[in-house]
Amino acid sequence: MSEMTGTPIAHAPGFIANETPRIVTARFDYADSHTLERYEATDGYQALRKALEQTPEEVHSEVTDATLLGRGGAGFPAGVKWGFCPPGVWPRYLVVNGDESEPGTYKDRLLMELDPHQLIEGCLIACYAVGLSQCFLYVRGEMAVAQERVATALNDAYDAGYIGKNILGTEFSVDIVLHWGAGAYVVGEETALIESLEGNRGMPRLKPPYFPASIGLYGQPTIVNNVETLANLPWIVQHGASAFTAIGTESSPGTRMVAVSGHVKRPGVYEIVNGTTTFRDLLYGADMCGGIRDDNQLKAFVPGGGSAPWFTPDQLDLPFEASQVGPQGSMLGSGAIMVMDETADIPAAALTLTKFYAHESCGKCVPCREGGTWLEQILRRVVEGRGTPRDLELLIEVGETICPGDFPHAAVPSKGIEAVPFPYRMTTICFVGPSAFAPIHSALTLFREEFEAKVAGNEHPTMIEVAVDV
Amino acid sequence: MKFFTEENSSLAEEIIGRYPKPRSAMIPLLHLAQEQEGWVTDEAMAEIAELVGTTSAEVLGTCSFYEMFKRHPVGKYVINICTTMSCALMGAGDLMEHAELRLGVKSGSTTADGMFTLEGAECQAACTEAPCLQVNYRHQYRVTTNQFDALIEELSSSDHEVPEHGVLSQIRQHIPENRFVGVVPPEDVTAAPVWLNDNGSDQ
């Protein structure tokens, strides 16, 4: 293995700097990257000044032209999403989704801890462009340090005149309110986030009619954007859409942050070029993960957060491009890659994800509430050697009550298995239910022999015989 | 008898005043209650209900949905060991086993001296630094069994900076009065924001 070249940044645990353009992580090298002083000394709030010299429509157009794809998971273009607000309906709100909880994902936490002013400037630009009159910045409950950094940054930015009444002496006035959650994965779903912000249990709403852009917070038009999405806005406004689209590909421009964890030599969060960087670059590149630990063989990887169907070495040359990953049976999701080497116990690894989604079910939809728990219980007995061959069929049957029809999966050329493209059909309101099934379906499809080995010889179902006196 | 201290009562009013609808303050106020008492008591929920204009049953409904709100006393330090995929692949199971032995309690319980509550937790967004844990929602990275023992020693002494359970952000948002735009109930807003009108927008 060649010498590794990317640089781990000591005061940004997990983040590794490399040679690729850095749009959102540019300040991470500074130990005081989170302060207003550093932010102002490195072009901070210049994009806001520039935006305020333009009309809101001009700023909106710039963002639309940049094809900034949402970085939360769905990958929908932010400028287009902004345009869905119905004309003439006021007020409109901005809700910042900082409830990052998808297994394997952490980029929003770093952005909030290490460059909170960049996020705040992004929020201000969005509010100005779309006429959003109040912003709620929702930070995940379990991120105490991110809350502290964002609170400090908000206080400093208010004092400096960047937030609040008549920003920088203009007519533009907006408050940003720091709000935080209390531990619930499902609240990352945008309609559940709004429920939570209204003081309710974080249960998703049915879409339609509850598309937040038309019926969101308090029933008003509401833009919900991910932290990383908003953090890109200052750069786009300052350098222009064409500079942004010059990086990456036409359909996936710019950069994106990805977290690679599990069995690689150098797990880390990297800012990579969107659209062109491949999984092989990321997992084996000298400036990135540098290969699999102990030079072991790669067995499988989850390409887009815990909800994503799995890939094997056969898919390593796919780039970070939704239009190529989707047909191969998975998604890029939240930019989280979890890597399993040849030593990994595949059914046990699948269980660590299925139990996550079973635990995080909000309970609103029956197939998820019941099905998730069943999937976990059945898989657990298989993993512990108490399962039967019938259980392997049962896992699929239960999964099909959540996701009827063919479930997406990757191709395995050596076994003659062809890919089934993403996405899936579902009987639930949100993706939590299907996500409990995804790891099981992938693991069973790609590594069925490991499951069969665990149930071999257990022909009779494990059951307690109850004697009944009549 | 009021639940919130005088200081926290005025803080609660300030927080409620930032939202177009008071009920939105419910989760922040539950955190404030937990900060004051270490857990969320029935008295706290009743008072929050009054403050945001709903019933205590509604507050319980919200409170019970969220993992972080404890409706019974917990240890001074809540230790959450992540058990989701990346941490599990990197030895979280062994770490949990060790933690149970070291503290002498099973996951989900509190030590007899009330110092530590041990919990298995879901993904904490530190996956590259696995296995990780949080003490009162502050991260510890790549935790070995030796480091876990050292952490317990440290927390048992007074030589550390982790606040007691319930204290989340130690920095509060403060909006200066002269900068605060203020809130209007959504039903009272009929026109586009002034900066859009000024720019001739018809939206």
Side-chain angles (χ1 to χ4, degrees):
Chain A
M1 195 71 229
S2 58
E3 211 173 304
M4 294 201 195
T5 56
T7 315
I9 305 294
H11 47 265
F15 179 72
I16 296 167
N18 54 29
E19 296 301 309
T20 53
R22 287 167 65 191
I23 292 178
V24 289
T25 66
R27 291 182 194 83
F28 283 17
D29 297 352
Y30 298 105
D32 61 351
S33 61
H34 55 284
T35 63
L36 180 60
E37 293 69 32
R38 175 60 62 192
Y39 195 64
E40 287 181 321
T42 50
D43 284 345
Y45 292 111
Q46 293 304 322
L48 175 65
R49 290 175 203 276
K50 190 174 170 188
L52 292 178
E53 288 166 8
Q54 303 171 31
T55 65
E57 290 77 10
E58 284 166 345
V59 178
H60 188 166
S61 300
E62 195 79 45
V63 176
T64 307
D65 293 346
T67 320
L68 171 62
L69 304 182
R71 303 293 199 246
F76 196 78
V80 179
K81 191 177 194 178
W82 291 2
F84 288 158
C85 290
V89 183
W90 312 101
R92 298 170 175 173
Y93 298 109
L94 174 64
V95 177
V96 182
N97 190 344
D99 193 54
E100 175 176 68
S101 319
E102 178 70 19
T105 313
Y106 83 104
K107 57 193 181 64
D108 298 340
R109 179 167 73 82
L110 289 184
L111 289 169
M112 291 187 284
E113 289 180 2
L114 298 171
D115 203 345
H117 284 285
Q118 176 176 251
L119 170 62
I120 291 168
E121 190 174 9
C123 296
L124 294 167
I125 291 168
C127 288
Y128 177 71
V130 199
L132 313 171
S133 53
Q134 198 174 0
C135 169
F136 299 93
L137 208 166
Y138 193 118
V139 183
R140 180 174 170 187
E142 291 96 333
M143 294 179 179
V145 175
Q147 290 158 23
E148 288 172 356
R149 291 278 172 87
V150 172
T152 305
L154 286 171
N155 291 347
D156 291 349
Y158 260 106
D159 287 342
Y162 293 120
I163 318 176
K165 264 186 206 164
N166 300 112
I167 293 167
L168 297 171
T170 68
E171 291 282 281
F172 176 47
S173 300
V174 72
D175 282 316
I176 301 181
V177 175
L178 175 60
H179 189 93
W180 57 104
Y185 163 78
V186 67
V187 166
E189 198 278 341
E190 57 183 7
T191 60
L193 187 73
I194 288 169
E195 282 287 326
S196 181
L197 186 50
E198 290 183 1
N200 302 327
R201 298 166 75 86
M203 292 174 159
R205 297 171 175 173
L206 199 59
K207 297 195 263 189
Y210 293 105
F211 288 107
S214 39
I215 310 175
L217 184 64
Y218 313 128
Q220 295 298 126
T222 303
I223 297 299
V224 183
N225 278 153
N226 168 264
V227 166
E228 188 188 349
T229 311
L230 290 161
N232 272 281
L233 294 180
W235 196 97
I236 290 172
V237 167
Q238 200 158 16
H239 299 268
S242 55
F244 190 77
T245 53
I247 302 167
T249 59
E250 198 184 339
S251 47
S252 298
T255 62
R256 68 178 295 171
M257 289 176 77
V258 295
V260 192
S261 57
H263 296 156
V264 286
K265 285 186 179 164
R266 192 168 57 185
V269 179
Y270 302 85
E271 183 167 358
I272 62 166
V273 174
N274 215 358
T276 57
T277 308
T278 65
F279 289 106
R280 188 184 300 282
D281 296 336
L282 190 57
L283 267 49
Y284 290 92
D287 60 342
M288 299 197 203
C289 297
I292 307 303
R293 68 166 184 187
D294 305 329
D295 287 325
N296 284 349
Q297 291 298 309
L298 169 65
K299 193 170 187 177
F301 60 101
V302 188
S307 308
W310 299 5
F311 279 163
T312 68
D314 289 317
Q315 285 80 35
L316 271 175
D317 292 312
L318 284 172
F320 271 76
E321 174 72 61
S323 64
Q324 293 192 47
V325 169
Q328 292 306 313
S330 192
M331 62 166 181
L332 294 170
S334 56
I337 292 105
M338 293 180 281
V339 179
M340 291 163 266
D341 72 7
E342 60 191 274
T343 69
D345 177 337
I346 291 289
L351 178 60
T352 66
L353 287 176
T354 294
K355 67 116 176 124
F356 173 93
Y357 295 103
H359 177 86
E360 298 295 343
S361 174
C362 78
K364 186 166 184 170
C365 309
V366 179
C368 169
R369 184 181 69 219
E370 301 299 316
T373 309
W374 290 7
L375 288 173
E376 182 193 346
Q377 288 174 355
I378 300 164
L379 181 56
R380 190 176 294 282
R381 69 179 179 239
V382 170
V383 168
E384 291 173 355
R386 296 180 289 112
T388 68
R390 171 78 183 103
D391 282 337
L392 305 190
E393 309 313 318
L394 198 53
L395 283 169
I396 299 296
E397 285 167 25
V398 174
E400 283 176 347
T401 65
I402 307 171
C403 297
D406 284 345
F407 196 85
H409 63 75
V412 190
S414 63
K415 295 178 188 168
I417 298 174
E418 284 180 20
V420 171
F422 201 80
Y424 38 72
R425 298 170 63 206
M426 55 206 255
T427 58
T428 53
I429 290 176
C430 86
F431 48 79
V432 173
S435 300
F437 183 46
I440 292 179
H441 186 272
S442 284
L444 251 174
T445 307
L446 307 173
F447 302 97
R448 190 175 179 92
E449 62 285 356
E450 292 199 27
F451 288 83
E452 284 170 346
K454 290 204 188 277
V455 297
N458 297 354
E459 289 305 329
H460 299 290
T462 312
M463 58 168 67
I464 302 163
E465 284 182 26
V466 182
V468 181
D469 287 325
V470 283
Chain B
M1 185 73 186
K2 285 261 186 203
F3 168 77
F4 279 123
T5 62
E6 209 168 300
E7 193 193 342
N8 282 344
S9 283
S10 63
L11 207 51
E13 291 298 341
E14 193 184 328
I15 292 169
I16 293 167
R18 290 177 193 156
Y19 296 93
K21 299 206 172 182
R23 190 184 166 118
S24 281
M26 202 187 297
I27 289 175
L29 295 191
L30 284 163
H31 276 302
L32 189 63
Q34 184 152 283
E35 178 173 330
Q36 185 177 309
E37 204 73 3
W39 59 289
V40 182
T41 61
D42 290 348
E43 292 72 25
M45 286 189 277
E47 193 163 313
I48 290 170
E50 238 172 81
L51 285 168
V52 305
T54 185
T55 64
S56 48
E58 286 280 330
V59 179
L60 174 62
T62 296
C63 178
S64 59
F65 185 81
Y66 297 91
E67 198 90 30
M68 290 172 73
F69 294 133
K70 310 297 183 193
R71 283 171 295 126
H72 49 81
V74 291
K76 193 168 166 186
Y77 303 106
V78 174
I79 299 176
N80 281 301
I81 296 181
C82 176
T83 61
T84 315
M85 184 180 242
S86 301
C87 285
L89 286 170
M90 300 304 284
D94 293 342
L95 181 61
M96 178 59 89
E97 212 167 284
H98 175 83
E100 288 183 336
L101 285 172
R102 172 64 183 78
L103 295 174
V105 292
K106 294 294 279 181
S107 170
S109 352
T110 301
T111 55
D113 60 2
M115 279 292 279
F116 300 104
T117 295
L118 181 65
E119 291 180 349
E122 299 296 356
C123 188
Q124 298 171 343
C127 319
T128 71
E129 311 307 300
C132 71
L133 61 79
Q134 288 191 316
V135 183
N136 293 349
Y137 307 104
R138 284 160 167 79
H139 286 100
Q140 298 279 324
Y141 299 134
R142 303 194 188 208
V143 184
T144 63
T145 51
N146 283 340
Q147 280 165 349
F148 183 85
D149 294 348
L151 175 69
I152 297 303
E153 290 298 317
E154 199 183 313
L155 291 170
S156 303
S157 74
S158 53
D159 187 25
H160 64 81
E161 291 176 349
V162 182
E164 290 187 20
H165 179 260
V167 178
L168 211 48
S169 175
Q170 295 180 98
I171 312 286
R172 296 193 199 283
Q173 179 175 18
H174 173 67
I175 302 180
E177 221 168 288
N178 62 337
R179 303 273 330 130
F180 188 42
V181 182
V183 297
V184 183
E187 54 273 22
D188 294 348
V189 180
T190 50
V194 58
W195 71 90
L196 282 194
N197 291 334
D198 276 11
N199 282 290
S201 168
D202 58 357
Q203 277 223 322

